[in-house]
Amino acid sequence: MIPADYADLAAKFPDETVTHAYVRDVELPGAGTLALVTLDNDLDHRRPTTLGPNSLVELGALFEQLKARTAAGSLAAVAVTGKPYYLAAGADLSAVGRLATEEDGRQMARLGHDVYGTLSGLGVPTFAFINGAAMGGGLEIALAADYRTVSVAANGISLPEAFLGLIPGWGGVYRLPRLIGPRNALKVMIENALGNNRALRGPEAYELGIADACFEPADFLEQSLAWAGRILAEDAERATVAERRAQKAAASEDDWEQAISAARSFVGARTGGAAPAPAKLLEVMAAGRGKTQAESAALEIDALAALMQTPQFRDTVHAFLELVQKRAKRPAGAPDKALARPVAKVGIVGAGLMASQLALLFARQLKVPVVMTDVDQAKVDKGVAYVRAEVDKLLAKNRLAPDAANRTRSLVTGSVSKEAFADADFVIEAVFEDLAVKKQVFAEVEAVVSDDCVLATNTSSLSVGAMAADLLHPERVVGFHFFNPVAAMPLLEIVRAPKTSDEVLATAFSLGQALKKTTVLVQDSAAFVVNRVLLRLLGEITAAFDEGTPAEVADNALKPMGLPMTPFNLLAMVGLPVAQHVTESLRAAFGDRFRVSANLQRLIDAGVTSLWSTDEGGRQVVPASTLALLEFGGTPSTVEELLRRTQDALAEEVGLMLEEGVVQAPEDIDLCMIMGAGWPLHLGGITPYLDRVGAAERTTGRKFNQK
């Protein structure tokens, strides 16, 4: 690598937070000298190390120095690790998003390959010690090394580029499938990336074969260095690694074709082809199958350079940096953190599926006692058993350490008496969505808890203020609305009722942060944000279907948006009765904008759970028995008409929510929809999208975002 080749590129980013490359020599007994490179931006753990142009140039220059030392015979090995909690969090996305021309993008892509190629070509064994998060380019630098260790405590191990509008184009798309096989590689690069950007933990990365050894965090570096010494000195140790790698990487040509074909189907179902990056990733991976790493690198550079200039990537950068990162970290309207009360015990009213998911989340993240109650012992026992079974699954998948599993099991208990809440600091109800039932529950709980205990509701659509109205202390009540499945969905809508105190609200935000959720403050308005928007969308589609629009037209009209699920499949997942119940609540609150479908009620009454069924050929069809239940009008819509109609309906609803002050700003609706409904990042948020397609101006007379 010649650093001067990239001087002009680096000079365009004078404000980059540079990740420095520090090196020190470590003597490995019986094996020689290892140069240990540590990536560190000289900031605390709240500021992850990222790799912008200046960081990469510095790292590449250091590798060139080490290459000279290896050529002189003074080094036996080179290893790369990171500052506490991070190997590296990937490319500096803010820098990548500011690359103005395709040539700038090409230079950035080439720079990464040049640096990582220098590491892989040092002429001595190279190691990566994955001590913490290794995302995108951070993981790719590890893949460029010959050997890898990982900490049991490491998390955030991922190749999220497809989620961000790019591909793992610094060698990841080439190296990973050859290391762990194409199917597992695509699970990491496609399924995990497009599945809420799921990341791996250290033990999972080891089991997949990304790492060759896994060590405890207390002495991770010492153990990694000792292991490196054995790799250098012992033929048997190298043979063991080679044998394990051969097993993990084994794949035939058919395996490659099947894996790529399955991934294409997954991408089509998840994005509808609206986002170019996932498809480009698969194209590059398939084209590189019979090529050398250098030949694949040329494909990757071309792909990255082109993707960086797409509007989808620009919108993704905006959504990720401005919303998912910045806005999420500083929730608008949240009270002073100092007002939050400590929570040392949590109570959950109910022991059904939602309550049990909450119990597991609270116990895992807060590490405090959690007690569930229900009306009879059998229900309580079933809820506790669910939690323990889920813990066992996490343990089996190496997503939970044995000591953490034992602790979590012991923290969750059950009771048939609400007296168990007497010493709780926070009690949340997760019972049937009926106002009278919830009011009764709160009255019973208030009778046994302390005056300082916070009472929370997980309601998805009912008035929090109405639930609190008859209590002695209505100021203690707050909405705490999770999304299903609780462990996977990152959004937590925190609902301020008219009398909710600042202390209670601050406690809710503090808990949300401790639970590792994205918190957004919403006012006490029916269905809050996500469900209100989604039910307006679903209402337009079902109304068009009822009017005579064919099912395949109605269900695919929104395909250009690239939503993660079609409307009718979303209805089936939510549950037809649940969707109908929430729609009825919305109609009662807001009137005829929310249409209660008579056809949907007919399906519910007949016990039908989904409009679609699958025929013998694997195609989605509406069974004749289902059609026989339904009545249709004679005014069908075209795809184009229904798309525009839905866009305008969404713009109208968003405009009304902003007028009503349901949230602080359009960005909060954008954040809610991204984190709570899987709204695609490549659209930049729902309000920029509605601005861009003209729906905002058509319905409200102005754009939502004036910047």
Side-chain angles (χ1 to χ4, degrees):
M1 176 195 168
I2 303 174
D5 289 348
Y6 303 99
D8 289 345
L9 177 66
K12 294 179 180 180
F13 299 91
D15 56 346
E16 177 185 339
T17 299
V18 177
T19 292
H20 298 290
Y22 299 107
V23 64
R24 65 183 176 94
D25 288 356
V26 179
E27 294 302 320
L28 303 179
T33 302
L34 176 146
L36 179 63
V37 178
T38 301
L39 304 177
D40 195 337
N41 59 9
D42 298 329
L43 299 170
D44 66 25
H45 68 276
R46 292 172 295 182
R47 294 289 301 275
T49 46
T50 55
L51 300 169
N54 290 282
S55 304
L56 286 167
V57 167
E58 180 178 321
L59 180 60
L62 175 61
F63 285 156
E64 285 294 337
Q65 295 171 18
L66 296 178
K67 189 174 183 179
R69 291 182 63 191
T70 63
S74 62
L75 288 178
V78 172
V80 179
T81 192
K83 75 174 190 179
Y85 307 108
Y86 297 96
L87 176 62
D92 183 344
L93 196 59
S94 64
V96 175
R98 287 157 50 197
L99 295 170
T101 67
E102 186 167 330
E103 183 53 35
D104 284 343
R106 189 176 301 280
Q107 273 289 85
M108 184 72 178
R110 191 179 291 118
L111 171 58
H113 273 286
D114 215 347
V115 173
Y116 292 8
T118 305
L119 171 64
S120 63
L122 284 176
V124 294
T126 54
F127 298 82
F129 302 151
I130 306 171
N131 61 304
M135 305 173 188
L139 181 55
E140 286 174 301
I141 195 171
L143 295 174
D146 297 319
Y147 300 94
R148 286 158 294 280
T149 67
V150 69
S151 170
V152 169
N155 54 37
I157 299 171
S158 65
L159 290 175
E161 284 85 352
F163 172 74
L164 297 171
L166 299 172
I167 70 168
W170 285 344
V173 70
Y174 183 87
R175 292 186 171 104
L176 190 64
R178 288 160 178 79
L179 185 66
I180 66 173
R183 185 178 66 83
N184 282 333
L186 287 170
K187 181 177 180 181
V188 173
M189 296 188 292
I190 293 290
E191 292 183 31
N192 286 1
L194 299 183
N196 280 326
N197 198 21
R198 183 181 176 272
L200 302 171
R201 296 175 182 271
E204 293 177 286
Y206 170 70
E207 286 299 324
L208 281 174
I210 292 173
D212 304 302
C214 188
F215 300 119
E216 292 293 331
D219 58 352
F220 171 72
L221 182 57
E222 291 81 359
Q223 289 288 347
S224 294
L225 289 167
W227 182 82
R230 294 194 296 275
I231 288 292
L232 294 173
E234 300 174 15
D235 292 342
E237 193 78 32
R238 292 193 296 275
T240 298
V241 170
E243 181 180 354
R244 181 175 184 267
R245 285 189 181 179
Q247 294 173 351
K248 298 291 185 182
S252 65
E253 288 296 327
D254 283 347
D255 292 332
W256 274 76
E257 290 179 9
Q258 290 171 12
I260 292 172
S261 177
R264 285 199 177 106
S265 296
F266 180 89
V267 168
R270 186 57 65 98
T271 72
K280 179 60 71 172
L281 187 158
L282 295 173
E283 177 188 316
V284 171
M285 179 173 161
R289 172 70 183 106
K291 298 185 183 297
T292 65
Q293 197 276 322
E295 290 169 336
S296 177
L299 298 176
E300 295 166 39
I301 290 168
D302 287 344
L304 282 175
L307 286 170
M308 287 178 197
Q309 298 307 310
T310 61
Q312 291 92 341
F313 175 65
R314 301 292 183 190
D315 289 337
T316 296
V317 170
H318 163 78
F320 186 72
L321 293 182
E322 299 302 321
L323 301 174
V324 176
Q325 295 290 309
K326 294 180 183 177
R327 189 84 178 179
K329 289 177 180 176
R330 294 183 292 275
D336 187 343
K337 295 178 182 178
L339 297 174
R341 299 170 185 166
V343 174
K345 180 179 178 180
V346 171
I348 300 175
V349 185
L353 180 58
M354 176 58 78
S356 300
Q357 291 183 76
L358 294 177
L360 178 60
L361 178 71
F362 281 110
R364 282 192 71 190
Q365 302 298 345
L366 302 185
K367 300 176 179 60
V368 301
V370 179
V371 59
M372 291 189 288
T373 66
D374 215 313
V375 294
D376 62 60
Q377 193 63 46
K379 290 181 178 179
V380 169
D381 292 344
K382 184 178 180 181
V384 173
Y386 171 89
V387 172
R388 291 176 177 169
E390 290 299 302
V391 169
D392 290 342
K393 291 177 186 176
L394 292 168
L395 182 62
K397 294 177 181 177
N398 287 312
R399 296 185 62 195
L400 203 59
D403 58 338
N406 291 333
R407 179 183 64 237
T408 304
R409 289 192 202 97
S410 68
L411 287 172
V412 179
T413 58
S415 174
V416 294
S417 171
K418 293 184 176 65
E419 294 289 340
F421 300 147
D423 57 344
D425 303 300
F426 184 91
V427 177
I428 183 169
E429 68 77 20
V431 299
F432 182 68
E433 194 78 344
D434 180 271
L435 183 59
V437 172
K438 291 179 184 289
K439 291 185 73 167
Q440 180 183 346
V441 162
F442 273 161
E444 293 171 358
V445 172
E446 189 176 47
V448 299
V449 298
S450 70
D451 288 348
D452 290 334
C453 180
V454 174
L455 302 185
T457 172
N458 187 46
T459 183
S460 60
S461 62
L462 300 176
S463 168
V464 178
M467 284 181 218
D470 298 334
L471 297 179
L472 294 174
H473 296 287
E475 72 280 357
R476 68 161 85 213
V477 178
V478 66
F480 213 59
H481 180 220
F482 291 90
F483 291 79
N484 198 20
V486 171
M489 298 303 289
L491 181 66
L492 177 59
E493 289 178 328
I494 295 181
V495 187
R496 180 167 205 160
K499 294 185 178 180
T500 305
S501 72
D502 284 349
E503 291 79 8
V504 166
L505 200 62
T507 303
F509 273 100
S510 177
L511 274 183
Q513 183 179 30
L515 294 170
K516 299 182 180 178
K517 296 297 183 183
T518 297
T519 53
V520 177
L521 176 64
V522 302
Q523 297 305 310
D524 190 15
S525 178
F528 317 127
V529 173
V530 173
N531 284 341
R532 182 169 168 181
V533 172
L534 285 181
L535 266 297
R536 186 68 195 273
L537 179 152
L538 292 173
E540 296 303 319
I541 299 299
T542 54
F545 177 61
D546 293 348
E547 291 160 4
T549 303
E552 61 273 16
V553 171
D555 205 28
N556 289 295
L558 307 186
K559 193 172 182 180
M561 293 184 185
L563 301 177
M565 199 174 293
T566 67
F568 290 155
N569 287 329
L570 177 60
L571 270 173
M573 188 198 78
V574 169
L576 306 190
V578 172
Q580 189 80 325
H581 179 74
V582 176
T583 303
E584 289 168 349
S585 296
L586 286 162
R587 184 185 179 91
F590 302 119
D592 292 344
R593 296 198 313 277
F594 291 89
R595 309 181 193 196
V596 178
S597 168
N599 273 339
L600 190 58
Q601 190 60 50
R602 293 183 183 104
L603 296 179
I604 294 167
D605 293 341
V608 176
T609 58
S610 174
L611 185 69
W612 292 119
S613 184
T614 304
D615 68 9
E616 294 179 356
R619 295 167 300 183
Q620 280 193 322
V621 295
V622 181
S625 58
T626 298
L627 285 173
L629 298 169
L630 307 178
E631 298 177 5
F632 298 103
T635 56
S637 299
T638 65
V639 165
E640 295 77 15
E641 289 168 343
L642 187 48
L643 175 60
R644 183 182 174 107
R645 167 178 168 175
T646 305
Q647 291 168 341
D648 288 353
L650 291 174
E652 179 186 30
E653 206 59 40
V654 167
L656 290 168
M657 291 166 71
L658 293 171
E659 281 183 23
E660 295 162 16
V662 176
V663 292
Q664 303 275 314
E667 292 86 350
D668 294 315
I669 296 178
D670 296 333
L671 183 59
C672 282
M673 294 305 295
I674 289 169
M675 307 306 281
W679 186 268
L681 284 184
H682 72 262
L683 297 180
I686 188 170
T687 65
Y689 169 76
L690 294 173
D691 285 344
R692 193 161 55 248
V693 298
E697 289 183 281
R698 287 196 299 268
T699 57
T700 71
R702 60 182 178 80
K703 291 184 175 182
F704 294 124
N705 302 277
Q706 301 302 321
K707 295 179 182 178

PDB file of all heavy atoms in Angstrom, residues 148-173:
ATOM      1  N   ARG A 148      -8.208 -16.290  14.057  1.00  0.00           N
ATOM      2  CA  ARG A 148      -9.050 -15.392  14.862  1.00  0.00           C
ATOM      3  C   ARG A 148      -9.420 -16.028  16.199  1.00  0.00           C
ATOM      4  O   ARG A 148      -9.769 -17.217  16.246  1.00  0.00           O
ATOM      5  CB  ARG A 148     -10.359 -15.064  14.102  1.00  0.00           C
ATOM      6  CG  ARG A 148     -10.173 -14.107  12.940  1.00  0.00           C
ATOM      7  CD  ARG A 148     -11.296 -14.232  11.922  1.00  0.00           C
ATOM      8  NE  ARG A 148     -11.270 -15.531  11.275  1.00  0.00           N
ATOM      9  CZ  ARG A 148     -10.446 -15.859  10.283  1.00  0.00           C
ATOM     10  NH1 ARG A 148      -9.589 -14.965   9.798  1.00  0.00           N
ATOM     11  NH2 ARG A 148     -10.466 -17.073   9.763  1.00  0.00           N
ATOM     12  N   THR A 149      -9.348 -15.229  17.263  1.00  0.00           N
ATOM     13  CA  THR A 149      -9.933 -15.612  18.542  1.00  0.00           C
ATOM     14  C   THR A 149     -11.059 -14.629  18.850  1.00  0.00           C
ATOM     15  O   THR A 149     -11.105 -13.526  18.303  1.00  0.00           O
ATOM     16  CB  THR A 149      -8.905 -15.581  19.683  1.00  0.00           C
ATOM     17  OG1 THR A 149      -8.494 -14.221  19.921  1.00  0.00           O
ATOM     18  CG2 THR A 149      -7.692 -16.433  19.363  1.00  0.00           C
ATOM     19  N   VAL A 150     -11.968 -15.032  19.739  1.00  0.00           N
ATOM     20  CA  VAL A 150     -13.074 -14.152  20.104  1.00  0.00           C
ATOM     21  C   VAL A 150     -13.351 -14.288  21.589  1.00  0.00           C
ATOM     22  O   VAL A 150     -13.193 -15.366  22.169  1.00  0.00           O
ATOM     23  CB  VAL A 150     -14.336 -14.469  19.273  1.00  0.00           C
ATOM     24  CG1 VAL A 150     -14.930 -15.823  19.634  1.00  0.00           C
ATOM     25  CG2 VAL A 150     -15.372 -13.375  19.423  1.00  0.00           C
ATOM     26  N   SER A 151     -13.753 -13.185  22.201  1.00  0.00           N
ATOM     27  CA  SER A 151     -14.097 -13.183  23.616  1.00  0.00           C
ATOM     28  C   SER A 151     -15.511 -13.697  23.819  1.00  0.00           C
ATOM     29  O   SER A 151     -16.415 -13.390  23.033  1.00  0.00           O
ATOM     30  CB  SER A 151     -13.974 -11.765  24.186  1.00  0.00           C
ATOM     31  OG  SER A 151     -14.522 -11.699  25.495  1.00  0.00           O
ATOM     32  N   VAL A 152     -15.704 -14.453  24.886  1.00  0.00           N
ATOM     33  CA  VAL A 152     -17.051 -14.893  25.260  1.00  0.00           C
ATOM     34  C   VAL A 152     -17.966 -13.688  25.446  1.00  0.00           C
ATOM     35  O   VAL A 152     -19.169 -13.749  25.165  1.00  0.00           O
ATOM     36  CB  VAL A 152     -16.992 -15.740  26.547  1.00  0.00           C
ATOM     37  CG1 VAL A 152     -18.393 -15.992  27.105  1.00  0.00           C
ATOM     38  CG2 VAL A 152     -16.275 -17.061  26.288  1.00  0.00           C
ATOM     39  N   ALA A 153     -17.403 -12.577  25.919  1.00  0.00           N
ATOM     40  CA  ALA A 153     -18.207 -11.385  26.206  1.00  0.00           C
ATOM     41  C   ALA A 153     -18.429 -10.497  24.991  1.00  0.00           C
ATOM     42  O   ALA A 153     -19.189  -9.527  25.068  1.00  0.00           O
ATOM     43  CB  ALA A 153     -17.541 -10.570  27.311  1.00  0.00           C
ATOM     44  N   ALA A 154     -17.805 -10.800  23.872  1.00  0.00           N
ATOM     45  CA  ALA A 154     -17.952  -9.951  22.692  1.00  0.00           C
ATOM     46  C   ALA A 154     -19.377 -10.044  22.155  1.00  0.00           C
ATOM     47  O   ALA A 154     -19.990 -11.112  22.136  1.00  0.00           O
ATOM     48  CB  ALA A 154     -16.962 -10.363  21.609  1.00  0.00           C
ATOM     49  N   ASN A 155     -19.913  -8.912  21.735  1.00  0.00           N
ATOM     50  CA  ASN A 155     -21.170  -8.914  20.999  1.00  0.00           C
ATOM     51  C   ASN A 155     -21.065  -7.874  19.890  1.00  0.00           C
ATOM     52  O   ASN A 155     -20.054  -7.212  19.753  1.00  0.00           O
ATOM     53  CB  ASN A 155     -22.369  -8.652  21.923  1.00  0.00           C
ATOM     54  CG  ASN A 155     -22.221  -7.388  22.732  1.00  0.00           C
ATOM     55  OD1 ASN A 155     -21.689  -6.387  22.251  1.00  0.00           O
ATOM     56  ND2 ASN A 155     -22.681  -7.416  23.972  1.00  0.00           N
ATOM     57  N   GLY A 156     -22.107  -7.758  19.083  1.00  0.00           N
ATOM     58  CA  GLY A 156     -22.026  -6.818  17.968  1.00  0.00           C
ATOM     59  C   GLY A 156     -21.104  -7.296  16.873  1.00  0.00           C
ATOM     60  O   GLY A 156     -20.405  -6.505  16.235  1.00  0.00           O
ATOM     61  N   ILE A 157     -21.087  -8.616  16.622  1.00  0.00           N
ATOM     62  CA  ILE A 157     -20.264  -9.171  15.544  1.00  0.00           C
ATOM     63  C   ILE A 157     -21.177  -9.360  14.337  1.00  0.00           C
ATOM     64  O   ILE A 157     -22.114 -10.159  14.365  1.00  0.00           O
ATOM     65  CB  ILE A 157     -19.629 -10.505  15.978  1.00  0.00           C
ATOM     66  CG1 ILE A 157     -18.723 -10.273  17.205  1.00  0.00           C
ATOM     67  CG2 ILE A 157     -18.843 -11.136  14.836  1.00  0.00           C
ATOM     68  CD1 ILE A 157     -18.230 -11.549  17.850  1.00  0.00           C
ATOM     69  N   SER A 158     -20.918  -8.616  13.271  1.00  0.00           N
ATOM     70  CA  SER A 158     -21.879  -8.617  12.168  1.00  0.00           C
ATOM     71  C   SER A 158     -21.277  -8.047  10.891  1.00  0.00           C
ATOM     72  O   SER A 158     -20.254  -7.365  10.920  1.00  0.00           O
ATOM     73  CB  SER A 158     -23.113  -7.784  12.546  1.00  0.00           C
ATOM     74  OG  SER A 158     -22.770  -6.422  12.723  1.00  0.00           O
ATOM     75  N   LEU A 159     -21.965  -8.351   9.801  1.00  0.00           N
ATOM     76  CA  LEU A 159     -21.725  -7.693   8.511  1.00  0.00           C
ATOM     77  C   LEU A 159     -23.059  -7.061   8.109  1.00  0.00           C
ATOM     78  O   LEU A 159     -23.857  -7.665   7.380  1.00  0.00           O
ATOM     79  CB  LEU A 159     -21.240  -8.702   7.462  1.00  0.00           C
ATOM     80  CG  LEU A 159     -19.832  -9.260   7.677  1.00  0.00           C
ATOM     81  CD1 LEU A 159     -19.516 -10.330   6.641  1.00  0.00           C
ATOM     82  CD2 LEU A 159     -18.779  -8.152   7.636  1.00  0.00           C
ATOM     83  N   PRO A 160     -23.327  -5.838   8.571  1.00  0.00           N
ATOM     84  CA  PRO A 160     -24.655  -5.236   8.403  1.00  0.00           C
ATOM     85  C   PRO A 160     -24.838  -4.443   7.121  1.00  0.00           C
ATOM     86  O   PRO A 160     -25.828  -3.726   6.975  1.00  0.00           O
ATOM     87  CB  PRO A 160     -24.726  -4.298   9.614  1.00  0.00           C
ATOM     88  CG  PRO A 160     -23.311  -3.823   9.775  1.00  0.00           C
ATOM     89  CD  PRO A 160     -22.446  -5.005   9.400  1.00  0.00           C
ATOM     90  N   GLU A 161     -23.894  -4.562   6.187  1.00  0.00           N
ATOM     91  CA  GLU A 161     -23.898  -3.655   5.041  1.00  0.00           C
ATOM     92  C   GLU A 161     -25.197  -3.690   4.237  1.00  0.00           C
ATOM     93  O   GLU A 161     -25.667  -2.651   3.752  1.00  0.00           O
ATOM     94  CB  GLU A 161     -22.703  -3.968   4.134  1.00  0.00           C
ATOM     95  CG  GLU A 161     -21.363  -3.469   4.667  1.00  0.00           C
ATOM     96  CD  GLU A 161     -20.703  -4.429   5.639  1.00  0.00           C
ATOM     97  OE1 GLU A 161     -21.352  -5.419   6.034  1.00  0.00           O
ATOM     98  OE2 GLU A 161     -19.548  -4.204   6.009  1.00  0.00           O
ATOM     99  N   ALA A 162     -25.793  -4.875   4.051  1.00  0.00           N
ATOM    100  CA  ALA A 162     -27.034  -4.956   3.276  1.00  0.00           C
ATOM    101  C   ALA A 162     -28.141  -4.149   3.943  1.00  0.00           C
ATOM    102  O   ALA A 162     -28.997  -3.569   3.270  1.00  0.00           O
ATOM    103  CB  ALA A 162     -27.466  -6.407   3.115  1.00  0.00           C
ATOM    104  N   PHE A 163     -28.122  -4.085   5.249  1.00  0.00           N
ATOM    105  CA  PHE A 163     -29.066  -3.279   6.020  1.00  0.00           C
ATOM    106  C   PHE A 163     -28.823  -1.789   5.788  1.00  0.00           C
ATOM    107  O   PHE A 163     -29.753  -0.979   5.811  1.00  0.00           O
ATOM    108  CB  PHE A 163     -28.883  -3.640   7.500  1.00  0.00           C
ATOM    109  CG  PHE A 163     -29.625  -2.786   8.489  1.00  0.00           C
ATOM    110  CD1 PHE A 163     -30.994  -2.918   8.655  1.00  0.00           C
ATOM    111  CD2 PHE A 163     -28.944  -1.880   9.292  1.00  0.00           C
ATOM    112  CE1 PHE A 163     -31.672  -2.151   9.592  1.00  0.00           C
ATOM    113  CE2 PHE A 163     -29.613  -1.112  10.226  1.00  0.00           C
ATOM    114  CZ  PHE A 163     -30.983  -1.253  10.379  1.00  0.00           C
ATOM    115  N   LEU A 164     -27.570  -1.440   5.520  1.00  0.00           N
ATOM    116  CA  LEU A 164     -27.170  -0.039   5.398  1.00  0.00           C
ATOM    117  C   LEU A 164     -27.077   0.443   3.952  1.00  0.00           C
ATOM    118  O   LEU A 164     -26.691   1.582   3.711  1.00  0.00           O
ATOM    119  CB  LEU A 164     -25.820   0.173   6.093  1.00  0.00           C
ATOM    120  CG  LEU A 164     -25.813  -0.092   7.597  1.00  0.00           C
ATOM    121  CD1 LEU A 164     -24.393  -0.069   8.142  1.00  0.00           C
ATOM    122  CD2 LEU A 164     -26.683   0.923   8.325  1.00  0.00           C
ATOM    123  N   GLY A 165     -27.410  -0.409   2.999  1.00  0.00           N
ATOM    124  CA  GLY A 165     -27.404   0.017   1.611  1.00  0.00           C
ATOM    125  C   GLY A 165     -26.114  -0.253   0.866  1.00  0.00           C
ATOM    126  O   GLY A 165     -25.912   0.266  -0.237  1.00  0.00           O
ATOM    127  N   LEU A 166     -25.240  -1.097   1.445  1.00  0.00           N
ATOM    128  CA  LEU A 166     -23.966  -1.420   0.807  1.00  0.00           C
ATOM    129  C   LEU A 166     -23.804  -2.934   0.746  1.00  0.00           C
ATOM    130  O   LEU A 166     -24.743  -3.676   0.967  1.00  0.00           O
ATOM    131  CB  LEU A 166     -22.806  -0.785   1.600  1.00  0.00           C
ATOM    132  CG  LEU A 166     -22.817   0.737   1.710  1.00  0.00           C
ATOM    133  CD1 LEU A 166     -21.742   1.209   2.681  1.00  0.00           C
ATOM    134  CD2 LEU A 166     -22.603   1.373   0.336  1.00  0.00           C
ATOM    135  N   ILE A 167     -22.593  -3.398   0.437  1.00  0.00           N
ATOM    136  CA  ILE A 167     -22.258  -4.810   0.541  1.00  0.00           C
ATOM    137  C   ILE A 167     -20.995  -4.922   1.392  1.00  0.00           C
ATOM    138  O   ILE A 167     -20.260  -3.938   1.546  1.00  0.00           O
ATOM    139  CB  ILE A 167     -22.028  -5.462  -0.836  1.00  0.00           C
ATOM    140  CG1 ILE A 167     -20.729  -4.942  -1.481  1.00  0.00           C
ATOM    141  CG2 ILE A 167     -23.212  -5.224  -1.758  1.00  0.00           C
ATOM    142  CD1 ILE A 167     -20.296  -5.747  -2.700  1.00  0.00           C
ATOM    143  N   PRO A 168     -20.703  -6.091   1.972  1.00  0.00           N
ATOM    144  CA  PRO A 168     -19.441  -6.263   2.710  1.00  0.00           C
ATOM    145  C   PRO A 168     -18.291  -6.299   1.711  1.00  0.00           C
ATOM    146  O   PRO A 168     -17.738  -7.345   1.390  1.00  0.00           O
ATOM    147  CB  PRO A 168     -19.618  -7.605   3.436  1.00  0.00           C
ATOM    148  CG  PRO A 168     -21.071  -7.917   3.360  1.00  0.00           C
ATOM    149  CD  PRO A 168     -21.542  -7.291   2.074  1.00  0.00           C
ATOM    150  N   GLY A 169     -17.946  -5.121   1.213  1.00  0.00           N
ATOM    151  CA  GLY A 169     -17.098  -5.006   0.038  1.00  0.00           C
ATOM    152  C   GLY A 169     -15.627  -4.790   0.312  1.00  0.00           C
ATOM    153  O   GLY A 169     -14.890  -4.410  -0.596  1.00  0.00           O
ATOM    154  N   TRP A 170     -15.188  -5.036   1.551  1.00  0.00           N
ATOM    155  CA  TRP A 170     -13.754  -5.054   1.850  1.00  0.00           C
ATOM    156  C   TRP A 170     -13.305  -6.495   2.073  1.00  0.00           C
ATOM    157  O   TRP A 170     -12.491  -6.783   2.933  1.00  0.00           O
ATOM    158  CB  TRP A 170     -13.431  -4.188   3.061  1.00  0.00           C
ATOM    159  CG  TRP A 170     -13.471  -2.707   2.754  1.00  0.00           C
ATOM    160  CD1 TRP A 170     -13.460  -2.109   1.539  1.00  0.00           C
ATOM    161  CD2 TRP A 170     -13.519  -1.639   3.716  1.00  0.00           C
ATOM    162  NE1 TRP A 170     -13.496  -0.739   1.661  1.00  0.00           N
ATOM    163  CE2 TRP A 170     -13.526  -0.414   2.994  1.00  0.00           C
ATOM    164  CE3 TRP A 170     -13.555  -1.577   5.108  1.00  0.00           C
ATOM    165  CZ2 TRP A 170     -13.575   0.840   3.609  1.00  0.00           C
ATOM    166  CZ3 TRP A 170     -13.601  -0.327   5.733  1.00  0.00           C
ATOM    167  CH2 TRP A 170     -13.608   0.863   4.990  1.00  0.00           C
ATOM    168  N   GLY A 171     -13.868  -7.380   1.278  1.00  0.00           N
ATOM    169  CA  GLY A 171     -13.462  -8.790   1.318  1.00  0.00           C
ATOM    170  C   GLY A 171     -14.418  -9.702   2.039  1.00  0.00           C
ATOM    171  O   GLY A 171     -14.301 -10.929   1.924  1.00  0.00           O
ATOM    172  N   GLY A 172     -15.380  -9.155   2.781  1.00  0.00           N
ATOM    173  CA  GLY A 172     -16.276 -10.001   3.552  1.00  0.00           C
ATOM    174  C   GLY A 172     -17.125 -10.911   2.692  1.00  0.00           C
ATOM    175  O   GLY A 172     -17.321 -12.090   3.015  1.00  0.00           O
ATOM    176  N   VAL A 173     -17.640 -10.391   1.577  1.00  0.00           N
ATOM    177  CA  VAL A 173     -18.517 -11.174   0.717  1.00  0.00           C
ATOM    178  C   VAL A 173     -17.761 -12.331   0.061  1.00  0.00           C
ATOM    179  O   VAL A 173     -18.370 -13.340  -0.327  1.00  0.00           O
ATOM    180  CB  VAL A 173     -19.170 -10.268  -0.353  1.00  0.00           C
ATOM    181  CG1 VAL A 173     -18.150  -9.800  -1.385  1.00  0.00           C
ATOM    182  CG2 VAL A 173     -20.338 -10.966  -1.024  1.00  0.00           C
TER     183      VAL A 173
END
